């Protein structure tokens, strides 16, 4: 194993940056491999193009005759791009993407062949629904499921394949993917937000949800990664002592990007341009060998598709550059983990950002309405939000000082806090002329200036307002953005619907003017949601005690957090809005709770294997070297040898103690794993793995890491942190 480590080090140190040729402007490359409007105009008839465009914008169904015309044009375009196959590209509940390739190839009667792709092949396919996670919705013998074309997300060519974004549903219609509930939530939020936006602008006919994600990741040389069984099998290092230098000097963050990494980024960005992924920002992150990539904001469904596609592309491009991309939230102990910050906002079809104030009090009132309703929605549903970002891997990151804590809270900054404090004082009932003047001139009217000068930022808040958007920072780097965005859309939809009912009631029953009614409802929302607002860093016992007083949840582990997903409140929420029925909600819970157990089970098996088959034999080998040395000293010095061999004997004894502890802890862990494995209830099994199996990981790691400090570097089998984190 040590030979593998040193061979990997030698190979990685001899790497040269892969040469990248960039001879075209990015604006010319952008969208070249996407069946966008430019391609549609060229390959579709004018009538087909207009009908397809109208269907996408209005959400109406595309009939089979139109599908036939589109499929013909799409096929010719794809073949011109070098495509030989097509696939329905979808996002099952595995957390990654899925695809089954079919050729544009059919035989014909005279023994010849032709390229064929018709409307039915474009619109629908039948992949196996039983072999992908389904949470009991389908039986193994009932394999049929359907993928159905999502025309709102354009098809693209990746390699030799035409990829058609689709939803994935069971034979009986239940969603088996992330996209279907997201699309339903987008539609529900559009209706609710448009109804409220019309209070301020009657011309508003549509509200679009936007998302700008930020993808953090680590890059490790592929040879070094391959030398670590834990990285390859579980995505993170299960043992490894912290190096003398980590991130404490803050010299990596925003520093000069290493040459190999920069060329990887350039290559990746070129592919992103071709695929229409509007990546814009790249930089070093805080931890060594950690980086970030971020795009321009897009409509949420397209943004989610682009992030899922990006993760596939990142892996493939990394192979060219001899890198391994680590998306795990905490691949290395002792340094910052990785998140996927979801920047969420709402925009109207008239071009206005509903979470951005304007130059008039009316536009600022609109901003406050959506701003306060979002905070209220988050407060009322903080447990469901916590559940949607829960995973075995994200548990390592949440609360780890550089990331949001497990307690959900909202950060808005001191200036906006003052604004809400002023609004809280609004009179109960009709506003006096003086109050209206003061509100519009002194509070509402000054919001743009307040935001312009507001430099408050909180890097650790789970949900922070950052100027014209809310940033859900607690999402893990491995997550599919669709899940948290679906929940956020849903809770804001319900809140806006309740807001409109309350305002309309005050207008009709209390004969209030619209502004008075809006102010009165917002004032009550400010009061009732005040407990969720927090301006601190969220760490330590003080905040946890304060959060408990406020009645906020504090679920430190995934099994605890996931229970909120199947609460009556969650089932009623999704059912009322027709985003997911009870069966779909419970299926997702079952998939996620089983996924948690499987992740801990795999990590336990890998850790036991490494400890017993790699670490202990190496420690014994070094111990034997020391014993031989002590015997030699005894031959030379006789009865006085202990004076000369004192340190060697001390190390021999220490090694024995650590070996004994490792064996003991591994045995106990295995026994607890066996007990967990016989539990039939998925929830009980997850709690057993969380509370009975996982605690042994840190103990086993401690003794392995102590041996790393004792054993000769020349024979240590596992590639060390200093090599993984600082080999460029």
């Amino acid at each position: 194993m040590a030979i593998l480590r040193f061979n990997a080090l030698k190979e990685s140190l001899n790497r040269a940056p892969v040469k990248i040729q960039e001879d075209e402007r990015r604006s010319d490359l952008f969208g070249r491999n996407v069946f966008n409007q430019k391609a549609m105009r060229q390959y579709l008839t004018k009538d087909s193009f207009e009908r397809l465009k109208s269907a996408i914008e209005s959400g109406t169904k595309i009939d089979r005759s139109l599908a036939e015309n589109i499929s013909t044009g799409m096929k010719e375009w794809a073949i011109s791009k070098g495509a030989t196959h097509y696939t329905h590209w979808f996002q099952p509940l595995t957390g990654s993407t899925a695809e089954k390739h079919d050729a544009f190839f059919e035989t014909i009667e005279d023994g010849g062949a032709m390229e064929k792709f018709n409307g039915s092949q474009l619109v629908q396919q039948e992949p196996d629904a039983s072999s992908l996670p389904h949470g009991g919705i389908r039986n193994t013998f009932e394999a049929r499921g359907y993928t159905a074309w999502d025309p709102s997300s354009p098809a693209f060519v990746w390699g030799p394949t035409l990829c058609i974004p689709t939803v994935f549903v069971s034979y009986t219609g239940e969603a088996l993917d992330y996209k279907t509930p997201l699309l339903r939530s987008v539609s529900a939020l559009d209706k609710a937000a448009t109804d409220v936006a019309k209070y301020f602008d009657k011309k508003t006919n549509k509200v679009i949800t936007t998302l700008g994600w930020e993808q953090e990741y680590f890059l490790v040389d592929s040879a070094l990664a391959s030398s670590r069984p834990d990285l390859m099998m579980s995505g993170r290092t299960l043992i490894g002592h912290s190096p003398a230098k980590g991130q404490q000097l803050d010299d990596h963050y925003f520093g000069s990007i290493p040459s190999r990494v920069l060329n990887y980024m350039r290559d990746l960005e070129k592919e992103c341009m071709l695929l229409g992924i509007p990546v814009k920002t790249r930089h070093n992150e805080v931890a060594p060998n950690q980086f970030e990539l971020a795009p321009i904001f897009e409509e949420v469904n397209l943004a989610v598709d682009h992030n899922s596609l990006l993760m596939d592309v990142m892996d493939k491009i990394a192979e060219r550059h001899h890198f391994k991309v680590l998306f795990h939230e905490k691949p290395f102990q002792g340094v910052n983990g990785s998140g996927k910050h979801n920047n969420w906002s709402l925009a109207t079809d008239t071009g206005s950002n509903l979470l951005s104030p304007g130059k008039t009090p009316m536009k600022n009132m609109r901003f406050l309405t959506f701003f306060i309703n979002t905070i209220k929605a988050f407060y009322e549903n903080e447990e469901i939000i916590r559940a949607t970002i829960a995973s075995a891997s994200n548990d390592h990151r949440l609360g780890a000082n550089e990331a949001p804590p497990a307690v959900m809270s909202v950060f808005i900054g001191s200036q906006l806090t003052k604004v809400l404090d002023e609004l809280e004082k609004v009179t109960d009932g009709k506003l006096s002329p003086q109050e209206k003047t003061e509100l519009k001139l002194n509070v509402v009217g000054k919001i743009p200036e307040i935001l312009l000068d507001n430099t408050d930022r909180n890097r650790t808040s789970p949900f922070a307002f950052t100027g014209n958007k809310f940033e859900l920072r607690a999402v893990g780097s491995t997550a599919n953005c669709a899940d948290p965005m679906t929940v956020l859309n849903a809770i804001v939809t319900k809140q806006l619907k309740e807001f409109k009912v309350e305002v309309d009631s005050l207008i009709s029953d209390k004969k209030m003017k619209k502004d008075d009614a809006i102010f009165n409802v917002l004032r009550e929302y400010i009061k009732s949601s005040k407990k969720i607002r927090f301006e601190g860093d969220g760490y330590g016992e003080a905040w946890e005690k304060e959060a408990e007083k406020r009645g906020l949840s504090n679920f430190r582990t995934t099994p605890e957090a996931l229970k909120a997903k199947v609460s009556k409140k969650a089932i009623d929420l999704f059912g009322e809005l027709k985003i997911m029925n009870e069966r779909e909600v419970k299926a997702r819970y079952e998939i996620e709770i089983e996924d948690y157990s499987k992740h801990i089970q795999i990590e336990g098996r890998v850790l036991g294997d490494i400890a017993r088959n790699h670490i202990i034999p190496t420690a014994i080998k070094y111990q034997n070297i020391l014993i031989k040395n002590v015997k030699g000293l005894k031959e030379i010095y006789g009865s006085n040898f202990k004076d000369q061999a004192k340190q060697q004997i001390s190390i021999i004894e220490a090694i024995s103690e650590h070996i004994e502890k490792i064996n003991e802890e591994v045995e106990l862990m295995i026994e607890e794993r066996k007990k967990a494995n016989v539990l039939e209830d998925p929830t009980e099994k997850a709690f057993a793995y969380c509370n009975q199996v996982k605690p042994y990981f840190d103990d086993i790691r401690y003794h392995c890491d102590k041996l790393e400090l004792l054993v000769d570097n020349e024979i240590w089998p596992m590639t060390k942190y200093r090599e993984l984190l600082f080999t460029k």
Side-chain angles (χ1 to χ4, degrees), residues 304-315:
V304 168
D305 281 0
H306 278 165
N307 182 251
S308 297
L309 175 59
L310 173 87
M311 293 172 78
D312 289 343
V313 175
M314 287 176 74
D315 276 334

PDB file of all heavy atoms in Angstrom, residues 304-315:
ATOM      1  N   VAL A 304     -31.751  24.432 -12.129  1.00  0.00           N
ATOM      2  CA  VAL A 304     -31.576  23.112 -11.504  1.00  0.00           C
ATOM      3  C   VAL A 304     -31.021  22.122 -12.529  1.00  0.00           C
ATOM      4  O   VAL A 304     -30.094  21.354 -12.230  1.00  0.00           O
ATOM      5  CB  VAL A 304     -32.915  22.611 -10.922  1.00  0.00           C
ATOM      6  CG1 VAL A 304     -32.809  21.131 -10.546  1.00  0.00           C
ATOM      7  CG2 VAL A 304     -33.303  23.426  -9.697  1.00  0.00           C
ATOM      8  N   ASP A 305     -31.587  22.118 -13.734  1.00  0.00           N
ATOM      9  CA  ASP A 305     -31.067  21.243 -14.788  1.00  0.00           C
ATOM     10  C   ASP A 305     -29.598  21.530 -15.061  1.00  0.00           C
ATOM     11  O   ASP A 305     -28.781  20.611 -15.220  1.00  0.00           O
ATOM     12  CB  ASP A 305     -31.875  21.425 -16.080  1.00  0.00           C
ATOM     13  CG  ASP A 305     -33.201  20.675 -16.046  1.00  0.00           C
ATOM     14  OD1 ASP A 305     -33.478  20.014 -15.027  1.00  0.00           O
ATOM     15  OD2 ASP A 305     -33.957  20.755 -17.027  1.00  0.00           O
ATOM     16  N   HIS A 306     -29.258  22.804 -15.101  1.00  0.00           N
ATOM     17  CA  HIS A 306     -27.877  23.178 -15.402  1.00  0.00           C
ATOM     18  C   HIS A 306     -26.926  22.764 -14.286  1.00  0.00           C
ATOM     19  O   HIS A 306     -25.790  22.363 -14.555  1.00  0.00           O
ATOM     20  CB  HIS A 306     -27.785  24.683 -15.659  1.00  0.00           C
ATOM     21  CG  HIS A 306     -28.171  25.066 -17.047  1.00  0.00           C
ATOM     22  ND1 HIS A 306     -28.460  26.362 -17.430  1.00  0.00           N
ATOM     23  CD2 HIS A 306     -28.313  24.313 -18.172  1.00  0.00           C
ATOM     24  CE1 HIS A 306     -28.755  26.387 -18.720  1.00  0.00           C
ATOM     25  NE2 HIS A 306     -28.669  25.157 -19.182  1.00  0.00           N
ATOM     26  N   ASN A 307     -27.366  22.847 -13.030  1.00  0.00           N
ATOM     27  CA  ASN A 307     -26.487  22.413 -11.949  1.00  0.00           C
ATOM     28  C   ASN A 307     -26.281  20.901 -11.971  1.00  0.00           C
ATOM     29  O   ASN A 307     -25.172  20.414 -11.758  1.00  0.00           O
ATOM     30  CB  ASN A 307     -27.043  22.840 -10.593  1.00  0.00           C
ATOM     31  CG  ASN A 307     -26.133  22.459  -9.446  1.00  0.00           C
ATOM     32  OD1 ASN A 307     -26.432  21.574  -8.660  1.00  0.00           O
ATOM     33  ND2 ASN A 307     -24.977  23.099  -9.356  1.00  0.00           N
ATOM     34  N   SER A 308     -27.352  20.153 -12.246  1.00  0.00           N
ATOM     35  CA  SER A 308     -27.235  18.693 -12.330  1.00  0.00           C
ATOM     36  C   SER A 308     -26.322  18.301 -13.484  1.00  0.00           C
ATOM     37  O   SER A 308     -25.482  17.403 -13.353  1.00  0.00           O
ATOM     38  CB  SER A 308     -28.623  18.064 -12.515  1.00  0.00           C
ATOM     39  OG  SER A 308     -29.444  18.330 -11.403  1.00  0.00           O
ATOM     40  N   LEU A 309     -26.481  18.982 -14.615  1.00  0.00           N
ATOM     41  CA  LEU A 309     -25.628  18.716 -15.776  1.00  0.00           C
ATOM     42  C   LEU A 309     -24.187  19.097 -15.473  1.00  0.00           C
ATOM     43  O   LEU A 309     -23.244  18.367 -15.816  1.00  0.00           O
ATOM     44  CB  LEU A 309     -26.148  19.497 -16.987  1.00  0.00           C
ATOM     45  CG  LEU A 309     -25.303  19.439 -18.268  1.00  0.00           C
ATOM     46  CD1 LEU A 309     -25.122  18.007 -18.759  1.00  0.00           C
ATOM     47  CD2 LEU A 309     -25.950  20.304 -19.362  1.00  0.00           C
ATOM     48  N   LEU A 310     -24.004  20.237 -14.821  1.00  0.00           N
ATOM     49  CA  LEU A 310     -22.657  20.711 -14.494  1.00  0.00           C
ATOM     50  C   LEU A 310     -21.874  19.668 -13.705  1.00  0.00           C
ATOM     51  O   LEU A 310     -20.698  19.423 -13.982  1.00  0.00           O
ATOM     52  CB  LEU A 310     -22.744  22.004 -13.683  1.00  0.00           C
ATOM     53  CG  LEU A 310     -21.388  22.483 -13.141  1.00  0.00           C
ATOM     54  CD1 LEU A 310     -20.674  23.352 -14.153  1.00  0.00           C
ATOM     55  CD2 LEU A 310     -21.541  23.206 -11.817  1.00  0.00           C
ATOM     56  N   MET A 311     -22.527  19.045 -12.718  1.00  0.00           N
ATOM     57  CA  MET A 311     -21.818  18.077 -11.887  1.00  0.00           C
ATOM     58  C   MET A 311     -21.344  16.885 -12.718  1.00  0.00           C
ATOM     59  O   MET A 311     -20.257  16.347 -12.480  1.00  0.00           O
ATOM     60  CB  MET A 311     -22.707  17.639 -10.731  1.00  0.00           C
ATOM     61  CG  MET A 311     -22.975  18.780  -9.737  1.00  0.00           C
ATOM     62  SD  MET A 311     -24.192  18.389  -8.462  1.00  0.00           S
ATOM     63  CE  MET A 311     -23.215  17.394  -7.345  1.00  0.00           C
ATOM     64  N   ASP A 312     -22.153  16.475 -13.703  1.00  0.00           N
ATOM     65  CA  ASP A 312     -21.710  15.421 -14.622  1.00  0.00           C
ATOM     66  C   ASP A 312     -20.523  15.887 -15.456  1.00  0.00           C
ATOM     67  O   ASP A 312     -19.529  15.167 -15.633  1.00  0.00           O
ATOM     68  CB  ASP A 312     -22.858  15.027 -15.574  1.00  0.00           C
ATOM     69  CG  ASP A 312     -23.955  14.258 -14.870  1.00  0.00           C
ATOM     70  OD1 ASP A 312     -23.708  13.757 -13.773  1.00  0.00           O
ATOM     71  OD2 ASP A 312     -25.069  14.161 -15.430  1.00  0.00           O
ATOM     72  N   VAL A 313     -20.638  17.099 -15.977  1.00  0.00           N
ATOM     73  CA  VAL A 313     -19.586  17.648 -16.836  1.00  0.00           C
ATOM     74  C   VAL A 313     -18.290  17.827 -16.047  1.00  0.00           C
ATOM     75  O   VAL A 313     -17.198  17.537 -16.549  1.00  0.00           O
ATOM     76  CB  VAL A 313     -20.037  18.990 -17.461  1.00  0.00           C
ATOM     77  CG1 VAL A 313     -18.899  19.636 -18.252  1.00  0.00           C
ATOM     78  CG2 VAL A 313     -21.247  18.775 -18.366  1.00  0.00           C
ATOM     79  N   MET A 314     -18.390  18.284 -14.812  1.00  0.00           N
ATOM     80  CA  MET A 314     -17.202  18.483 -13.979  1.00  0.00           C
ATOM     81  C   MET A 314     -16.424  17.181 -13.812  1.00  0.00           C
ATOM     82  O   MET A 314     -15.192  17.165 -13.887  1.00  0.00           O
ATOM     83  CB  MET A 314     -17.597  19.045 -12.609  1.00  0.00           C
ATOM     84  CG  MET A 314     -18.029  20.494 -12.636  1.00  0.00           C
ATOM     85  SD  MET A 314     -18.593  21.107 -11.026  1.00  0.00           S
ATOM     86  CE  MET A 314     -17.033  21.266 -10.162  1.00  0.00           C
ATOM     87  N   ASP A 315     -17.149  16.094 -13.576  1.00  0.00           N
ATOM     88  CA  ASP A 315     -16.491  14.789 -13.431  1.00  0.00           C
ATOM     89  C   ASP A 315     -15.765  14.391 -14.710  1.00  0.00           C
ATOM     90  O   ASP A 315     -14.614  13.916 -14.671  1.00  0.00           O
ATOM     91  CB  ASP A 315     -17.528  13.714 -13.078  1.00  0.00           C
ATOM     92  CG  ASP A 315     -17.828  13.666 -11.582  1.00  0.00           C
ATOM     93  OD1 ASP A 315     -16.956  14.064 -10.797  1.00  0.00           O
ATOM     94  OD2 ASP A 315     -18.932  13.239 -11.221  1.00  0.00           O
TER      95      ASP A 315
END
